[in-house]
Amino acid sequence: MDAEDLDSRTRTQSGCIPPHLVTRLLELGHHEMVEAWAADGEWFCAREHARSLTARDGHAEALRVLDPYVATGWWTAAEAAAEVLEGWGKAEEAIALVRPHTEGGGSLELAFCARLLARHARADEAFSLLAPHVAEWIPAAALVEVAAVAGRDEDAADLLTARIRARYDCDHCGSPSCGRGGLTPWNALELLAEIRERQGRIDDAVALLRNRATTSVNNRDRLADLLARHDRLDELADYARVEHHGHAAACLVEWLEERGDVEGAITVLRNRVDARTGFSHPDVHLARFLERHGRVDEAITVMRALVDDHSEDWTVSMLCTLYTDHGRAREGLAHLDDLLPGQQDWEFFRSRITLLAACGLHEEAIAQARAHPEGDSSYAAWTIAEVLADAGRPEEAVTELERHPTANSEVLARYLIDLGRIEEAVAHLRRPRPRPLWPAATTDTDTPPF
């Protein structure tokens, strides 16, 4: 095994058996096959087999499964083995295993090792390990967690405050307005606010979060979440009205829904739809909320208004899925034909194929898909295979996908696994995918073509 190859295949989930198909193999009872591939360089098989052994108190056997991967020096394997050791009550051995990986200063390795140390009465050591790396956002986040265990909140706050002040010391001109003296770590204000909240200094935490440059990360707004946690509803509502992305409004909707105020949540969402600012496609959020609360007619009305005004492939697909999921495929088909008569773009046309299949018109759906100008493409084969499988013809679905085996390897493998053709499925998955060829470098020129 080679660490670089393992890391590449794991990150891209190509040339290997991906985790969701390992899960499918186990669901179908192919435990011995998963075990065999675990010993043959299939990391996701090894990880799941080790977890299965650990769940049955087979920690020693789990470590033996992971040992060949750990021996390559690959961090991901060392992390998994450390978790097994910790769960076995051998925390010191776990620490000894991962500690050498921190010597290169990698963020993930530092954060994992520090949290492990803190969980086992070595929080001060963990704090010292992370403090020199406070300018990096992952170690900084771990530092704030470790500080709570070590009782060193103020020490962590001092380190972060120094970083926040340093952003004004621009090496170029000394002015924060030039944009070159950026905050490092970027989450310093959020982390300092977390400490202040933990100390009960809620107003200070709110003030810090109001000064962030980046307000939303992963569709969450930490100021909105803080206000919600402390039931500061009026402030949250005021903030939701002006916050551009709409994540504060989404937080307010969650808060109202959790307390049973469905109508209040709908009002917030309808106001975002009417305002037409921020919150990408607030109509979609409103429709999903209405559907979740059983108000399907209203959800369809909202989505129909959206696609009638401006049709995009994904919003049309969502509307058609709404029709299909609630037994109204024929109504959806009629609306689609009125909305996009004669539309041949595959991105829209595939919604028609799905609706035809949901109406039980599988043969018509297959015929129309194959007759489409893009009916010979790999993505059309995927849709046709879904229709064939839905009609109870999985073998034909496999035949369809085998026309484009490289492009559809995971989908093809899923059907093969369900048919019991496991070796064929794995052969498709393990086949190396061709890497893209980048164009050769060229020199700049002002002579056409540029």
Side-chain angles (χ1 to χ4, degrees), residues 29-295:
H30 300 293
H31 298 274
E32 291 182 0
M33 287 185 166
V34 170
E35 181 179 353
W37 284 313
D40 193 30
E42 287 292 339
W43 167 248
F44 294 116
C45 289
R47 186 183 66 180
E48 290 308 311
H49 184 43
R51 286 174 177 171
S52 175
L53 290 166
T54 301
R56 303 194 303 269
D57 293 326
H59 298 86
E61 294 91 335
L63 289 172
R64 282 195 288 273
V65 170
L66 298 174
D67 276 345
Y69 298 88
V70 175
T72 66
W74 185 37
W75 164 247
T76 301
E79 181 182 26
E83 289 171 349
V84 173
L85 286 164
E86 185 184 19
W88 197 5
K90 297 190 175 187
E92 290 305 317
E93 291 184 38
I95 292 167
L97 175 63
V98 299
R99 192 63 187 260
H101 288 270
T102 67
E103 293 172 5
S107 295
L108 295 174
E109 294 88 337
L110 285 164
F112 180 89
C113 186
R115 291 183 174 110
L116 179 60
L117 288 164
R119 286 195 296 270
H120 296 281
R122 294 167 65 173
D124 279 319
E125 184 181 347
F127 193 97
S128 298
L129 177 67
L130 292 169
H133 305 278
V134 71
E136 301 167 48
W137 72 273
I138 292 176
L143 179 75
V144 170
E145 292 179 36
V146 166
V149 181
R152 298 181 64 176
D153 273 349
E154 277 308 318
D155 290 338
D158 289 344
L159 288 170
L160 291 167
T161 300
R163 298 303 311 173
I164 293 166
R165 287 174 179 160
R167 97 176 132 161
Y168 296 107
D169 299 329
C170 176
D171 293 335
H172 296 271
C173 63
S175 169
S177 62
C178 77
R180 296 179 182 176
L183 183 59
T184 56
W186 64 263
N187 56 344
L189 285 162
E190 288 88 342
L191 294 174
L192 183 55
E194 184 178 330
I195 293 172
R196 296 309 181 212
E197 182 185 9
R198 199 156 65 211
Q199 294 173 326
R201 296 166 58 178
I202 309 304
D203 288 338
D204 289 343
V206 169
L208 284 163
L209 292 176
R210 289 193 185 280
N211 285 321
R212 298 162 298 160
T214 302
T215 59
S216 296
V217 178
N218 294 330
N219 295 329
R220 300 300 308 186
D221 185 299
R222 293 189 70 159
L223 174 57
D225 289 341
L226 173 64
L227 294 171
R229 277 196 299 275
H230 295 278
D231 292 334
R232 295 169 70 151
L233 179 59
D234 290 341
E235 290 174 76
L236 176 57
D238 290 342
Y239 181 45
R241 278 189 285 272
V242 298
E243 190 269 313
H244 173 74
H245 298 291
H247 299 145
C251 180
L252 177 58
V253 167
E254 289 175 10
W255 192 95
L256 292 165
E257 185 180 19
E258 286 170 2
R259 285 153 184 78
D261 189 358
V262 172
E263 291 302 326
I266 290 172
T267 298
V268 171
L269 289 168
R270 288 196 187 280
N271 287 341
R272 296 297 298 197
V273 171
D274 293 340
R276 293 290 172 192
T277 58
F279 209 166
S280 178
H281 289 297
D283 327 61
V284 170
H285 295 271
L286 174 58
R288 286 174 175 157
F289 186 91
L290 289 164
E291 183 190 20
R292 191 164 67 246
H293 288 275
R295 296 164 66 164

Side-chain angles (χ1 to χ4, degrees), residues 15 81 93 123 183 195 205 218 221 276-277 298 310 317 326 350 354 362 371 397 408 421 434:
E93 291 184 38
L183 183 59
I195 293 172
N218 294 330
D221 185 299
R276 293 290 172 192
T277 58
E298 292 175 73
H310 178 64
S317 176
H326 297 281
R350 71 181 305 272
T354 303
H362 296 92
N408 291 316
R421 296 161 59 180

